[in-house]
Amino acid sequence: MSGLRERQKQERRALIAEAALSVFKSNGFAATTVESIANAAGVSPPTVVNYFGSKQGVLLALLQEPDYRAIQETSERVRDYTDPVDALCDLEMTITGNQIKAIPASLWREIIPLWLNGDADEVFRAWNDAVVEGSQSLLVHFRERGLLRKDLDLVFVARVVNDWANIAFVRLAAQDEPDMEAHGEYMRQAFTLLCEGIAEPAKVGGTRARKAVRAR
C-alpha cells in the first residue's frame, strides 16, 4: 500500500510540474501564481505548496529533472571513455540538450536574467549544485584511473566546468534556434583547454622540468 501511495504522490507531483510549465509558457514566470498553477493542475493551492513550497520550487524541479535524467543516462556510458574531455563533452551536451528540449527559448529569456541578477538565488544554486556533483563524480572516476592529477581539487574543477558551461548555455538558450553543433565545438575547446592547460610543455632537462619534478 505504501508503494501505491508513493507512486500516486509522484504522479501528482509530475502532473503539477507539467501544468506549471504550461502556465509559465503562456503567462511568463513573473505573472504566474501558485493559484494559477493549482487551477491548471486541478488541485488546490495548498497542494502545490505542499509538494513544491512555492512557484520557485516548481521551477527548480523543472530545471533539475532534465539534469538528473542526463546524469543517469550518461553515468555508465561516460565511464567507458579513456579521455576526460570526451566524457565531459558527452555529459554537458546531454544535460544541455535535455534543458533546451524541456524549456522553450521564450521562458529561458525570462528566467536567465533572474539567474544572472541573483534573484531566486536558492533555486539556481540548488540547480547548479546537482550538476557540479555529477561532474565531480565523473572527475573522481578519471582520477582513480590515473588520468587526472592526484592533487586536483575536484570540487573546484567541477565548479569551473559548471561555470564555463553556464556561460555558454546563456548564449545558447537566448537563440530562437539553438546551434547545438557550435555549442558542442566551443565546449570541446573549453574542456580541452581546462584539461591540457595553456603552458608550453617543459623541455626535458630544462629549469621548468626540474621545478616540475621537485613540485611532485
Side-chain angles (χ1 to χ4, degrees), residues 63 92-93 95-113 115-116 124 127 164-184 186-187:
L63 292 172
E92 194 280 331
M93 286 295 288
I95 288 175
T96 297
N98 284 0
Q99 287 289 1
I100 291 296
K101 291 177 183 176
I103 297 179
S106 58
L107 184 54
W108 276 119
R109 280 194 286 268
E110 183 180 4
I111 64 177
I112 281 175
W115 175 15
L116 298 180
F124 296 107
W127 175 41
W164 228 332
N166 280 345
I167 292 170
F169 183 79
V170 167
R171 180 170 58 245
L172 181 72
Q175 301 170 3
D176 288 326
E177 296 184 7
D179 189 341
M180 293 295 292
E181 182 177 354
H183 175 82
Y186 173 82
M187 292 312 303

Side-chain angles (χ1 to χ4, degrees), residues 10 14 32 37-38 42 61 77 105 124 133 150 158 168 176 182 196 198 204:
Q10 292 300 322
T32 296
I37 293 172
R77 182 173 71 239
F124 296 107
E133 289 176 11
K150 295 184 181 300
D176 288 326
E196 295 183 0
I198 62 174
V204 177

Side-chain angles (χ1 to χ4, degrees), residues 118-134:
D119 299 327
D121 185 58
E122 70 282 359
V123 171
F124 296 107
R125 184 172 60 250
W127 175 41
N128 280 304
D129 284 348
V131 179
V132 169
E133 289 176 11

Side-chain angles (χ1 to χ4, degrees), residues 88 135 139 148 152-162 194:
L88 288 170
S135 299
L139 293 167
L148 295 174
L152 283 177
D153 181 343
L154 296 187
V155 175
F156 175 76
V157 175
R159 292 200 175 279
V160 170
V161 167
N162 184 64
L194 177 65

Side-chain angles (χ1 to χ4, degrees), residues 151 202-216:
D151 62 340
K203 295 181 179 180
V204 177
T207 302
R208 288 172 57 198
R210 289 194 295 275
K211 289 182 177 179
V213 170
R214 286 198 297 271
R216 293 178 183 175

Side-chain angles (χ1 to χ4, degrees), residues 51-73:
Y51 276 88
F52 294 98
S54 63
K55 73 172 184 179
Q56 287 82 3
V58 184
L59 176 62
L60 174 59
L62 290 170
L63 292 172
Q64 286 183 327
E65 196 279 331
D67 289 351
Y68 288 144
R69 183 156 34 88
I71 291 170
Q72 185 176 22
E73 288 173 6

